[in-house]
Amino acid sequence: RHDIGASELLDGREYLLSPWGPLLAQNGYVAFCLDMPSFGSQSARTESAMAKALIWYGRSLIGRMLEQEMAALSYLSSRADVDPGRIGGFGISLGSTLSYWQAAIDPRLKAIAHLCCFADYATLIELGAHDHHAIYLLVPGLLNAISTGQIAGLVAPRPQLICVGGLDELTPRLSVERGLAEARQMYEQAGAAWALDFFEEPLAHHEETPQMRARVLAHFARHL
């Protein structure tokens, strides 16, 4: 929801068990979330208007989001209460995509975990499921250059946890299997097969589950 934005960190959402901000703080983490373009304090222009303008110039809205996340990482790394060698990324849905795309291009993210948005896009098109994604995700020519499984594979050898719901329409099983196979191959080539972890909650929809939360916390405790 564009009107909520970064406040989700403290206020939560219906698909979360509870807000993540207080939980992370209780576990000793500095938690930081920023409004993405078209969300929260940046919602004066709609997602559609921003995305269309950028696409006309051969750019993308998710690219603008990643650019702002890079600035956020620079800010975090400069803080006295943050260890720049132990910064992780976490997200669900849009935040899921942002977490592993950001880690693919920015080595300052040392470990990531993401929920409910990992899928091979070419397979989504094949299955007729791609229109569940919003226009922010459109990158001109993306699938001519790389797949989402390969993007996730670029995170290797850094630890990555992927969680999906078996009934989530954004992550049909075949699209997850194909993307995961590519990511695993790249992790194996990097000598880091151990660093890629996957968990599917068979009866879950587009939502966080207690099992997912426990795995995320254990993942970060182990790797950060």
Side-chain angles (χ1 to χ4, degrees):
R1 278 179 47 187
H2 294 81
D3 59 318
I4 292 178
S7 65
E8 181 176 310
L9 182 69
L10 298 180
D11 298 336
R13 284 291 304 280
E14 66 277 2
Y15 54 68
L16 296 174
L17 296 174
S18 64
W20 267 87
L23 176 68
L24 290 170
Q26 289 163 10
N27 281 272
Y29 298 97
V30 174
F32 181 61
C33 182
L34 69 161
D35 284 326
M36 290 282 90
S38 78
F39 287 86
S41 62
Q42 296 200 67
S43 62
R45 295 179 66 197
T46 67
E47 175 183 303
S48 176
M50 285 188 178
K52 290 172 182 175
L54 287 164
I55 289 170
W56 275 342
Y57 284 104
R59 302 184 65 189
S60 67
L61 185 53
I62 194 168
R64 178 66 57 83
M65 293 176 177
L66 294 168
E67 181 180 54
Q68 293 189 11
E69 283 200 339
M70 292 184 77
L73 283 169
S74 295
Y75 164 72
L76 274 178
S77 299
S78 72
R79 289 180 59 101
D81 56 352
V82 171
D83 180 350
R86 292 193 294 166
I87 296 178
F90 168 73
I92 182 171
S93 195
L94 163 58
S96 167
T97 303
L98 287 170
S99 66
Y100 75 92
W101 284 34
Q102 190 69 55
I105 60 175
D106 198 324
R108 290 177 296 179
L109 283 173
K110 303 304 182 183
I112 61 168
H114 48 95
L115 317 181
C116 304
C117 212
F118 179 77
D120 176 69
Y121 294 164
T123 304
L124 291 183
I125 295 171
E126 178 184 324
L127 297 174
H130 59 288
D131 203 30
H132 294 305
H133 287 281
I135 195 173
Y136 79 87
L137 197 51
L138 297 186
V139 179
L142 176 71
L143 297 185
N144 294 323
I146 196 169
S147 69
T148 44
Q150 291 168 338
I151 293 173
L154 290 172
V155 180
R158 287 162 290 153
Q160 178 173 189
L161 169 64
I162 302 170
C163 297
V164 300
L167 301 179
D168 189 345
E169 62 183 9
L170 267 65
T171 56
R173 182 178 297 275
L174 182 60
S175 67
V176 174
E177 290 174 350
R178 288 177 176 174
L180 189 60
E182 289 190 318
R184 280 176 169 161
Q185 182 179 28
M186 293 178 68
Y187 266 79
E188 289 169 1
Q189 291 172 347
W194 59 269
L196 181 60
D197 192 12
F198 173 75
F199 174 69
E200 180 188 42
E201 189 81 83
L203 300 180
H205 293 269
H206 196 67
E207 59 189 336
E208 179 194 18
T209 69
Q211 282 269 33
M212 290 179 184
R213 175 163 291 196
R215 283 177 173 263
V216 171
L217 291 174
H219 180 77
F220 286 139
R222 183 164 59 250
H223 299 298
L224 293 180

